[in-house]
Amino acid sequence: MSHVPAQPTVRHVTVPAAQPVRPAPLEMGDPVGTPGAVRVIDRYVERDGRPWFPVMGEYHFSRDRPERWETELRTMRSGGVTVVATYLLWIVHEEVRGQVRWDGQRDLRRFVETAGRAGLDVVLRIGPWAHGETRNGGFPDWLQALPVVHRTNDPAYVELVRGWYAAIEEQVRGLLHSPGQPGGPVLGIQVDNELYDQPEHLATLRDLAEAAGLRVPLWLATGWGGARLPRGRVLPVYAGYSDGFWEESSTGWPAFGATHYAFSTVRDDLTVGADLRDGPVTAQAADGAADPWPFATCELGGGMQVAYHRRPHVDADDVAALALTKLGSGSAWQGYYLYHGGTQVLGDRSTTQESHATGYPNDLPVRDYDFWAPVGAAGQQRPHYHRLRRQHLFLETFGPDLATYPTVLPDDEAADVRWSVRGDGERGYLFVNNHQPAVAALADVEAVRFDVELGAHPVTVPTAATTLRSGVSAAWPLRQPFGSVPALTVPAQPITRLDTERGPVFLFATTDGVDVELQLEGVDAADVRGAEILRTEPLPGPGTRVVVTPTAAPGLAAEVVVGDTTLVLLPPALADTVWKGTIDGRESVVLWDGSGYFDGKTFRVVPHAEDRTADVLPPLPAGGYARVPGEGSLFARYVVPGEDAARPLVPPVFDAAVPAPVRTGGSAGRSSAPDDADFDALVPVEVPVPDDVFEDADRVLLRLDWTGDVMRIHAGDRLIADQFWSGRRFDVDLAPYRAEIRAGGLWLRAFAWSPSSGVHVDPRVRPASDVPVLEVRAASLEAVRTRALR
């Protein structure tokens, strides 16, 4: 049971009735009568006449291989993402002037078609300037060198952009969501990126795109940094990161980080991209509560990239708590950057990463753009992929209602508790966050109880004061309807709904350390099964409130049944194993603690080394996997046979621990990474890769647990991967390079970590040694294969 302090502090908020919604004053949206019409309302985006809550994940098609796109896009969709955003990096497509390429990994049309097939809508970020940690911000070298005033309405520059947009239109013709083709997957376009002081130019860019035939219902532009945008022509989209590689190496946890873990109606972050501006940021972060358009994001940090001088170490819970805090702050569009990591393109004439060599303040890896995203560059599904999927399933089912609710912040908010309510005066959701990154972790808070006035319906949750544990972040329903329950309040977060032959089933994630008490309104206590009746209370108006707690501990057996409705209460770790998708044509829920994805027909799992079980509702057809006794009365449990696909390797040993040469450079005078000549002077170490490891494998991951400064990996003479060490394991998919490894071997070159380095590395992992360190503690090859759960 939770600890109950003697004198709880009352935290109170009154939620007024929501004002009627009205169309946003934006020149965009589908005409009335368009099938599946997309329109922008002042509080949310509407689709086909209903509130729609987009979940957008960034995945750069040109930074991955086309044969992987379908699996990776379906992995994103299985993670609850509904929109994929992607950059068009001009330098990748027209490195040589006049030679515009759409082949191989540049094949935009194939990518968009694949996204549509995977059930995803698409937002194109068409530049012409993109950033994305790209050389020249994405401009080809020939464009960067021209005597034009870039990113302005200089006629010579505008004419060049006109040609670029026309080339893009040819590739996506017939794939746009527009009045003439409402079913196309491309429903939004972002023009330029991080352009703060050229509103007229942003308007011109939209005009150019539409004149080229790029007509879509949604037009976006980044609004952070106090950007001046052409009012009415673009919907501002915002960012929120827990840390930033663009800060100085002497900075600990950046001051902006804490702002993203506190509920607020301020949408802007003035620091994102500020290192690339010509002068200090003078704008003020305005309160967005009065904005007549919805709060939309495109760059909630799905992780964080590393630069040579600064290497943030973002944790999975940092990502999930930040995302939930934005929901409690009024977000009606969750967009992540990155959601899927990538690999920088090697051009024919240059590398394509941001670097000191091209005048940027930061030196980035030549190949690595993994970003420690929820889905890694090698397809790894990381813990925050599963944490976020739980949130996204909640938004898929309950987001249309949530999107309509304004945010209400308590006037008397106690400094030790961060919370908000989104509601309409009758019902809503209470958001609470007691998480910050480890460097500034929040303490347990005792005596926590929230009193919420929902019009004539006061609610207290939890019903008794409790201790809010460090690290907790959650959304709790306040008087929400669930099937046969007209109004439910509970300190547990809804996950999803599944309609079964027995009736609707709702899954919830309990809150660590908080007792599960369900407050049921409009329900007769005699109709409740699977729960202990704690008390029945009169309501201020007619009716009573029945307060119950499950008779079983949180888990699949914790079924509270009211009429034909079943509420299943899962502990947080088990809640992170919930997946939802189609198996054999039926909507299904799977509990699987591991990697997987829905392929359009069934659920595919990556087996563990040992046997594991998967719980499925509705049960699979007879045959196939062995069914074994499970928990509760709903889910069928199946054994997924193990497959030990990892081959340990003898850890490579380097001849010497050589620190990298000390240099500074770029526009900010920061530490520079070792260059090609520096690496050429090192003695390479070969890693033996048996050719049979590739047989029947979807991926072959080289996994290196190492400590050092910078490592490069070559297949023969080709640089295939690099990493600036930050305490993370180095994972590389070798499958695309099988022929080159067979012909020329696999080789490592690495510099040692220097104890005198001025590079920022998280104190939790920074070596304590007073001598240079270069070691590979463990190495393995893992052949990744998937199995269909049928």
Side-chain angles (χ1 to χ4, degrees), residues 656-660 707-709 751-756 767 769-775:
V658 180
T707 299
D709 183 27
F751 283 100
W753 172 263
S754 172
S756 61
S769 174
D770 57 1
V771 297
V773 178
L774 177 60
E775 63 172 339

Side-chain angles (χ1 to χ4, degrees), residues 14 102 159 248 287 290 308 362 383 447 460 473 488 504 535 562 624 646 666 685 718 779:
T14 297
W102 302 103
E159 195 58 31
E248 298 296 337
D287 191 328
Y308 185 72
N362 313 301
T460 297
S473 59
L488 169 66
R535 59 190 174 276
V562 183
V685 175
R718 182 178 182 180

Side-chain angles (χ1 to χ4, degrees), residues 86-152:
T86 194
Y87 273 136
L88 275 294
L89 301 172
W90 198 343
I91 188 174
V92 171
H93 296 276
E94 194 178 1
E95 189 175 14
V96 177
R97 187 172 186 179
Q99 299 179 21
V100 184
R101 298 179 57 184
W102 302 103
D103 58 305
Q105 69 195 94
R106 301 168 176 83
D107 191 342
L108 171 62
R109 186 173 190 84
R110 176 179 171 183
F111 179 79
V112 172
E113 290 173 337
T114 305
R117 192 163 57 248
L120 292 163
D121 295 306
V122 179
V123 166
L124 299 178
R125 304 176 84 180
I126 64 174
W129 193 87
H131 197 192
E133 289 67 70
T134 313
R135 180 183 178 95
N136 308 324
F139 283 163
D141 284 2
W142 60 263
L143 173 58
Q144 184 74 14
L146 287 177
V148 299
V149 186
H150 299 84
R151 306 179 74 192
T152 71

Side-chain angles (χ1 to χ4, degrees), residues 156 189 357 458:
I189 290 176

Side-chain angles (χ1 to χ4, degrees), residues 1-8 446-447 464-467 515:
M1 298 292 288
S2 299
H3 171 62
V4 181
Q7 295 184 335
E446 295 191 343
T466 189
T467 296
D515 292 338

Side-chain angles (χ1 to χ4, degrees), residues 286-622:
D287 191 328
D291 285 353
W293 42 71
F295 178 19
T297 63
C298 68
E299 292 199 16
L300 300 180
M304 179 48 59
Q305 180 62 2
V306 296
Y308 185 72
H309 76 285
R310 182 178 174 81
R311 309 175 191 182
H313 195 97
V314 175
D315 292 333
D317 287 336
D318 301 343
V319 176
L322 187 151
L324 185 123
T325 302
K326 294 303 176 184
L327 290 177
S329 298
S331 171
W333 181 323
Q334 295 284 88
Y336 300 94
Y337 190 99
L338 288 170
Y339 188 85
H340 194 301
T343 302
Q344 296 275 16
V345 177
L346 294 179
D348 293 334
R349 297 191 173 188
S350 72
T351 59
T352 60
Q353 85 284 8
E354 173 182 323
S355 71
H356 289 173
T358 51
Y360 276 73
N362 313 301
D363 244 355
L364 275 290
V366 175
R367 303 300 314 271
D368 173 35
Y369 198 58
D370 178 82
F371 219 88
W372 206 69
V375 183
Q380 318 96 301
Q381 294 177 12
R382 296 188 167 120
H384 42 316
Y385 172 79
H386 306 292
R387 305 272 201 287
L388 290 174
R389 186 180 66 246
R390 191 212 300 183
Q391 289 186 26
H392 300 162
L393 289 174
F394 163 68
L395 292 176
E396 182 178 67
T397 302
F398 308 101
D401 288 332
L402 178 67
T404 68
Y405 297 150
T407 293
V408 181
L409 301 175
D411 294 330
D412 58 346
E413 180 176 6
D416 59 350
V417 176
R418 301 172 181 186
W419 68 293
S420 73
V421 173
R422 291 183 69 171
D424 63 1
E426 289 288 325
R427 56 190 79 244
Y429 288 92
L430 187 150
F431 291 83
V432 60
N433 177 47
N434 199 35
H435 177 90
Q436 278 191 165
V439 68
L442 301 175
D444 290 358
V445 184
E446 295 191 343
V448 174
R449 190 182 70 189
F450 304 101
D451 290 342
V452 182
E453 297 285 341
L454 291 160
H457 310 282
V459 174
T460 297
V461 61
T463 58
T466 189
T467 296
L468 189 66
R469 292 184 180 175
S470 175
V472 161
S473 59
W476 299 338
L478 305 175
R479 304 193 67 251
Q480 289 292 331
F482 292 91
S484 298
V485 181
L488 169 66
T489 299
V490 61
Q493 184 169 314
I495 304 171
T496 192
R497 167 182 178 149
L498 186 70
D499 292 321
T500 71
E501 294 179 355
R502 241 171 66 170
V505 174
F506 295 91
L507 304 184
F508 293 79
T510 60
T511 303
D512 190 24
V514 179
D515 292 338
V516 182
E517 289 190 354
L518 298 90
Q519 302 179 50
L520 309 166
E521 298 180 33
V523 168
D524 191 318
D527 294 333
V528 180
R529 303 186 303 279
E532 175 188 355
I533 309 298
L534 300 178
R535 59 190 174 276
T536 299
E537 305 169 340
L539 293 171
T544 58
R545 177 187 294 126
V546 180
V547 183
V548 308
T549 189
T551 53
L556 286 176
E559 301 175 2
V560 176
V561 181
V562 183
D564 68 346
T565 299
T566 305
L567 314 175
V568 183
L569 288 305
L570 306 177
L574 188 58
D576 285 342
T577 72
V578 175
W579 305 71
K580 185 179 181 183
T582 300
I583 298 178
D584 295 329
R586 298 186 299 177
E587 189 174 54
S588 302
V589 169
V590 178
L591 273 66
W592 168 248
D593 186 11
S595 297
Y597 69 95
F598 291 95
D599 66 3
K601 297 179 181 178
T602 189
F603 184 62
R604 303 195 67 85
V605 300
V606 177
H608 292 271
E610 66 286 340
D611 291 357
R612 292 286 183 92
T613 59
D615 295 284
V616 185
L617 179 67
L620 301 174

Side-chain angles (χ1 to χ4, degrees), residues 255-273:
F256 67 76
T259 67
H260 298 298
Y261 292 92
F263 299 103
S264 169
T265 53
V266 174
R267 301 175 178 182
D268 197 359
D269 183 337
L270 300 177
T271 67
V272 180

